[in-house]
Structure formats: C-alpha cells, structure tokens
Amino acid sequence: MSSQQLRLSDEELIQLCHRVEVSSSLSFEELIYLVQLDERQAQILFATADRVRQRMVGDAVHLRGLIEFSNICIRQCQYCGLYCRNNQVKRYRMKEDEIFATAEHAVKMGYPSLVLQSGEDPFYNTHIERLAGVISRIKNELKVAITLSAGEFSKTDYQRLKDAGVDRYLLRFETSDAKLYRELHPDSQLDDRLQCLQYLAETGYQVGTGFMVGLPRETPEIFANNLLLLKKLNVGMVGIGPFLPNQDTPLKGEASGTSLGTLIAVALTRLLLPDTNIPATTALGTLDKDGRIKALQAGANVMMPNVSPMEFRELYKLYPNKLCVTADQGRDTAIKLVESIGRVVSFSAGHAPLRK
Ligand code: 5AD
C-alpha cells in the first residue's frame, strides 16, 4: 500500500463521511485510512456517526442487566482472565435459583432486558436442559428479553436454547484474521466461530458479534477487515472493546488497545450498519473513565450495567481493573451518564433490527 496510501484533507474527509451517510459502505482502502485517523480528524467521523445514530435509532439508550452466571471455562483464549489454564481464579457456577433470583432483582430494578454471560462451562454442554430450564423460568415468570453469551454450542443446542426463550445471542469473532485467531485461540479456529454465527442466524436469533481493538499483532489491514466482516455478517448487535492485557494470561506483557481506536471502530460500525444496536462497553469505560460517554456520542446506543451478585464480580475478571460497583450504583451511574449528555434511558426491550 505504502506509496499510494490514502490521505484526506478535512474537506475530503467530510465529503467521504457524507457519502457514507447515504451509501453505508466503505472500501477496504478507505477503511485502512479511517481506522488510523488522528484524534483531530476522528472528531469529524464521530460527529457523522452521532448524526446517523440519532437519525436511525434515536436518542434512547437501552439498558441491559448483565448476569455473569459462571466463570468456568474450557477454552484457551490467550487474552482472557477466565481461560482454563489460569489457576489464580476461584471458579464458580451460580445455582439455577441464584440465577433466577438475580434476574428477578434486575427486573425489579427496572431492566426490561437481561444478558446472561458465562465462560464455556462444560457443564452446560452436557446439561443443556439445565440452562434451558432456568431460561424458560426467567422468560415465563419475568417476561424479559433474554440475551445469552455463553460461547460455542451445536446447532441443536442453540435451537434448544432458543426454544427455551432466548431472544438474542452474543458471540464475538474477536478478530477477522484466521492466523491471528488461531494464535489467540490455540484450541479453535475462525471458521468454527463463523459457523456458529451462521447457525445462530439460521435458528432465528437476533445475533450480536464484535471484536477487540488493539490485539497484539493486529494491523490496520486486520482492523479494516474486522469492519468489513461485520458488514458482511449484517448483525443486529455489535460489541467492540479495547484489548486489555490481563496479568494472569500469556498476553500479560502486551500493550492495550486505545480508546481512540475503539471509538473509531464504534463510529465506523454505526456508519456501516446504521440501525444496529451498539453498546458503550465496560472495557472501554475501564480504559478511559469517560469512554462510555464518548462511545454514546460516537454511535453507541446501549449500555450493559452489571447486576451479578457482588460476591461473584471479582471472580469474573476477563481483564483487570473492571468497574466494580453494586447493581444499584451501576444502574444509577448509567442513568446519570445518559442524562448528562441529553439522552434518554429506554425502559423497553430494545430489540435489535430484524435481519433476513
Ligand atoms: N481485554 C478486553 N476484552 C476481553 N474479552 C476477553 N478478554 C478480554 C481482555 N483481556 C472480551 C472478548 C469476549 C468478551 C466477553 O470479552 O471479546 O468476547
């Protein structure tokens, strides 16, 4: 690329942003330039994404209560504090009654939508009916929208969970580069992940995916391809956070992703998939104390405050310095933050746009 690399004046960048507002598409070359924008030019991109967000999904910010129901994991994801070889972490699996009670508390706090997240706990692979059971109880008794984020399952199991009442599923592809994917996940490959995303779409879920920004060995080309893959997958939800090195993992010595890079990714996602639901992630809020506000002003429209019981919070540490406040504080902080920028908290389920 080097000699013909794109370089745009402010005027040209504004033109490009106008064009994307209409077409919702960007070339690989344009993306390579955009993912490397400096802080100053990035403001032009953020303003465009904020406009598109306003026009396409309005001023509402949807809150989802996050329940981290098991930190047991059989995977070897090299960046994640829950990876199976980390024996520094005390493992837990919430009992079904505890999961239900936590969900009930979240609903009493006003959450119309819950996200149930866990490591790839092998217990649920062999006891899928137990997970399905607690899900159908939550669905039937609490009548909330349910998102699950528990990793890779067979198509039959995804179907079983859908039948039990799960509306949405989050499964990030983490990186679009097959080689880097393999290095970071020695026990799996990108194609498996993409196959699962395909199963989820076929099963009728609202599908969410996403990636980390600033993974070791990420290049601008990989970053640009991550965005093109999102566009191709045409998902209804996209979660993007910075990579944050965890001391208890093989990537402990690596540099973290940047706040600027993450915000650029959020903004470009809003431009490429204008009506998608995009959270202002906790990982970004951990890296930069104003990160979530900035994300909401650069295309994001969702927040996922943690509602897990306090005793488990410390144990569910994907990355260090995770924000740890009580469920009530988390909700109140989110509401204040949303209102401080003139936006409104939505108490409706905030379903993702229908696809296909
Ligand atoms: N830094 C940032 N994000 C991480 N995740 C896992 N480990 C880390 C880390 N060290 C993200 C992954 C995963 C999501 C649940 O958390 O993208 O999909």
Side-chain angles (χ1 to χ4, degrees):
M1 288 242 73
S2 55
S3 58
Q4 315 109 325
Q5 238 174 29
L6 199 59
R7 186 59 256 138
L8 302 179
S9 66
D10 289 1
E11 197 45 49
E12 289 165 331
L13 178 58
I14 291 168
Q15 290 298 320
L16 175 63
C17 283
H18 281 317
R19 204 205 73 213
V20 186
E21 269 193 78
V22 180
S23 69
S24 308
S25 78
L26 284 160
S27 69
F28 180 58
E29 195 196 19
E30 288 163 341
L31 280 169
I32 287 181
Y33 177 69
L34 293 170
V35 298
Q36 300 178 88
L37 284 179
D38 62 24
E39 187 94 45
R40 198 186 59 78
Q41 280 206 324
Q43 305 310 314
I44 297 172
L45 178 69
F46 299 160
T48 312
D50 200 39
R51 242 184 354 257
V52 172
R53 185 271 309 152
Q54 217 281 330
R55 192 168 63 238
M56 299 303 294
V57 295
D59 281 336
V61 176
H62 303 288
L63 297 192
R64 285 98 167 73
L66 175 66
I67 304 175
E68 298 157 333
F69 64 94
S70 166
N71 73 349
I72 299 172
C73 193
I74 46 160
R75 294 290 184 158
Q76 295 183 37
C77 312
Q78 302 285 291
Y79 43 80
C80 183
L82 304 188
Y83 93 118
C84 63
R85 300 223 167 118
N86 180 9
N87 46 29
Q88 300 300 309
V89 60
K90 186 173 148 237
R91 304 284 172 167
Y92 72 90
R93 177 183 303 125
M94 282 170 69
K95 298 194 177 62
E96 283 118 294
D97 281 348
E98 281 177 318
I99 300 175
F100 181 81
T102 307
E104 195 171 34
H105 180 63
V107 170
K108 284 204 184 106
M109 286 173 64
Y111 287 103
S113 168
L114 302 176
V115 179
L116 272 66
Q117 193 181 76
S118 72
E120 276 197 26
D121 184 342
F123 176 79
Y124 292 118
N125 263 307
T126 44
H127 297 80
I128 193 77
E129 77 289 352
R130 297 277 293 267
L131 188 55
V134 66
I135 281 162
S136 59
R137 189 171 164 214
I138 293 173
K139 192 72 184 176
N140 293 334
E141 295 184 32
L142 305 177
K143 317 261 181 266
V144 276
I146 302 176
T147 303
L148 189 62
S149 172
E152 296 184 7
F153 285 95
S154 65
K155 189 171 184 189
T156 319
D157 284 351
Y158 283 140
Q159 182 69 59
R160 177 82 191 82
L161 294 165
K162 178 90 182 43
D163 295 342
V166 182
D167 303 284
R168 314 173 182 153
Y169 204 99
L170 303 179
L171 186 67
R172 292 186 181 174
F173 58 74
E174 316 294 0
T175 176
S176 59
D177 186 83
K179 182 164 168 283
L180 180 57
Y181 189 98
R182 182 75 183 173
E183 285 165 16
L184 295 171
H185 310 92
D187 50 358
S188 64
Q189 50 195 2
L190 182 61
D191 280 346
D192 301 339
R193 190 52 58 114
L194 297 178
Q195 176 69 262
C196 284
L197 286 167
Q198 169 87 26
Y199 289 157
L200 288 163
E202 287 167 4
T203 314
Y205 282 93
Q206 296 168 39
V207 182
T209 191
F211 58 89
M212 280 175 280
V213 170
L215 281 167
R217 298 183 289 286
E218 178 202 88
T219 60
E221 287 75 14
I222 294 177
F223 194 165
N225 273 324
N226 289 347
L227 291 154
L228 289 175
L229 181 54
L230 284 182
K231 175 82 182 163
K232 180 168 157 217
L233 293 170
N234 188 29
V235 286
M237 302 172 285
V238 177
I240 297 169
F243 159 67
L244 301 170
N246 185 320
Q247 281 314 301
D248 299 331
T249 66
L251 300 185
K252 62 176 173 227
E254 302 286 347
S256 51
T258 63
S259 167
L260 177 62
T262 307
L263 292 167
I264 289 174
V266 165
L268 288 170
T269 301
R270 174 59 66 205
L271 298 185
L272 291 171
L273 296 170
D275 61 355
T276 205
N277 278 332
I278 307 176
T281 54
T282 313
L284 181 57
T286 299
L287 178 70
D288 172 350
K289 72 173 176 29
D290 299 324
R292 288 186 301 177
I293 290 193
K294 292 179 191 164
L296 291 175
Q297 295 180 316
N301 69 323
V302 172
M303 286 178 80
M304 292 164 47
N306 201 321
V307 297
S308 309
M310 268 327 245
E311 56 182 309
F312 301 125
R313 301 279 178 99
E314 264 297 299
L315 306 177
Y316 200 89
K317 251 176 125 176
L318 312 179
Y319 48 79
N321 307 321
K322 176 175 142 181
L323 305 168
C324 252
V325 293
T326 65
D328 292 272
Q329 281 170 332
R331 181 202 51 189
D332 296 346
T333 307
I335 295 175
K336 274 205 205 96
L337 192 150
V338 168
E339 291 176 349
S340 76
I341 53 170
R343 302 269 283 279
V344 281
V345 170
S346 153
F347 289 99
S348 76
H351 284 293
L354 288 173
R355 302 290 190 207
K356 286 176 195 117

